[in-house]
Amino acid sequence: MRAARLIKMVLLLQSRPTMTAAELAKELEVSERTVTRDAQALSEAGVPVYADRGRAGGYRLVGGYRTRLTGLARHEAEALFLSGLPSALREMGLDDAASAARLKVSAALLPSLRDASQTAAQRFHLDAPGWYHEPVTPELLPAVAEAVWDDRVVRAGYRRGPTGEVEREMSPYGLVLKAGVWYLCARVGDDFRVYRIDRFTAVAVSATRFERDEDFDLPRFWEERAAQFARSILRTEVTVRLSGAGVRRLPYAVDRAAADEALAAAGPPDADGWRTLTLPVESEDVAYGQLLSLGPELEVLAPAALRERVADAAERLRDLYG
């Protein structure tokens, strides 16, 4: 533990001209007294750490000293490619590995380029979770992530439906973070399946490693499955008329792909500039909430029950606003 901390201290000092004891203590998560002892230990080991006294003082390396302890470990290199997803790294338990990898890269750069990571972080940030939802980290995510990194077989309990639970042995191929929700893409037997991480009730990581199919393409697999899922839940059709404004707003109210397909198949506008189309939806209940958001820019023609519900909502709105 202390050896790793001493190495990190050298890399920090190598990547910056000077650092105060307080700055080093914060980075190393130790006390300033421990920083002083570590600096003395490094000096005794032949690393030229020099302490400048006074208000503008701090620790620095003398004479352009550079260490060669900058080689990336495999898990650090892998984590570095995910460094644009800080929250995802924390949830998977990889933030320490990514921090060490960034520090090693920074220490290996020319002095004129050492602020590159800081300037990039000031300009770009990826916020994966959707709006209005408090992101919750699944408790079992770090264990699943460890199995994914090491290609280890997993035996897991999975909650399927409100009461049912199944147990599966699976080969975890990859993790996907979609709008703040974590999913596992895994092979079960000869099939590839998708599981929500927050529905796992237990995860046992085996010592057995599985042989990964090198042809498996995680982004392509996810794109195909996501499209299949989106199509599979659209089991009902409604017929609507839309104004020009309604046509423009429709893709933001319902499934975008379904809206685009319905608009492409629709006929030309009528004399009033309205278009009639048949739209796939998940259910009448879901469609009711989605289509109401279009207000007077949409008229439901069928089914009759949905038309009556929307008409009733319009009547109540009129009564409410007088």
Side-chain angles (χ1 to χ4, degrees), residues 189-237:
D190 295 327
D191 298 327
F192 283 95
R193 304 179 186 179
V194 176
Y195 298 90
R196 278 184 61 141
I197 301 294
D198 58 7
R199 292 183 182 171
F200 282 119
T201 58
V203 171
V205 181
S206 168
T208 304
R209 282 190 166 89
F210 64 89
E211 186 175 345
R212 180 176 287 268
D213 181 356
E214 297 301 329
D215 292 330
F216 178 78
D217 186 323
L218 180 59
R220 186 176 63 203
F221 170 80
W222 177 259
E223 182 179 1
E224 292 173 353
R225 284 301 173 94
Q228 290 174 9
F229 174 76
R231 288 194 297 269
S232 70
I233 63 174
L234 302 179
R235 303 186 182 94
T236 304
E237 289 186 342

Side-chain angles (χ1 to χ4, degrees), residues 13-98:
L13 293 174
Q14 185 172 310
S15 63
R16 307 179 195 180
T18 183
M19 293 185 70
T20 66
E23 290 172 336
L24 283 168
K26 181 178 179 181
E27 290 282 354
L28 300 173
E29 298 181 351
V30 295
S31 66
E32 293 186 30
R33 181 173 296 181
T34 299
V35 168
T36 302
R37 289 198 297 264
D38 286 351
Q40 184 177 354
L42 287 171
S43 181
E44 292 173 354
V47 178
V49 178
Y50 183 78
D52 293 313
R53 305 294 180 183
R55 293 182 60 187
Y59 292 92
R60 60 185 174 88
L61 294 175
V62 179
Y65 177 85
R66 298 184 66 80
T67 176
R68 295 189 178 185
L69 296 174
T70 54
L72 293 178
R74 180 176 182 84
H75 70 289
E76 293 171 346
E78 290 170 335
L80 186 60
F81 287 101
L82 293 171
S83 58
L85 295 165
S87 60
L89 284 167
R90 285 194 300 272
E91 293 177 5
M92 289 190 291
L94 294 172
D95 49 342
D96 287 341

